[in-house]
Amino acid sequence: MIEELKLYILSLISGIPHFIYEGLLSVFLIGAVILLVSKWRESIKDIVLLLLIEYLFLIYSSTVFLREDRGVIRCEIIPFWSYSRPDLLVENLMNVVVFIPIGLLLSFCMKAQKWWRILLMGCGISLSIEILQLLLRRGCSEFDDVMHNTLGCLLGYCLYSIIKIGYEKTLNGV
């Protein structure tokens, strides 16, 4: 199982040209330095927003824009269809994991709005990816992917909430 996860992650990473990673890292570092020098405290939120934008760019690149046109529309709208295929377990788990940072970063940028807002935003991002895959014929557009991505976003919100509670307890000396 661990080996399958490694192979899956490597296949995602190898599909994106290195210059994109280098460019994004450069933009992030330059932006972070400028923000930190200009206004320390307020900069943290801006840096997280920059991270969110770059992470979303990587997600859209690997799932839509850098994939080849398959020439045929593939779509699975039946909920839980992938659960009947053990070979898709790693992909289902990765669809959850890849959206945890989105939920975490969205929560931080929005000062932890209500959980359902983060959930809706994660669902909207995932739906936009699946619709683009369908329209551009890149990959298989699946309801299960939306469900797993949304769950990952919600887990990111939960992680943010846990971190926030721990931070507040530390500040209050509890």
Side-chain angles (χ1 to χ4, degrees), residues 1-8 86 89-91 93-94:
M1 173 77 150
I2 299 294
E3 195 59 37
E4 289 176 331
L5 281 172
K6 286 180 187 176
L7 290 173
Y8 185 79
L89 176 63
V90 170
E91 187 173 332
L93 289 174
M94 289 307 296

Side-chain angles (χ1 to χ4, degrees), residues 8 21 27 32 40 44 52 59 96 102 104 109-110 129-130 132 149-150 157-158:
Y8 185 79
Y21 289 115
V27 168
W40 168 249
I44 302 298
L52 175 63
I59 297 294
V96 173
I102 294 173
L104 181 66
C109 288
M110 298 176 62
I129 290 169
E130 297 304 315
L132 283 169
N149 294 156
T150 304
Y157 171 84
C158 293

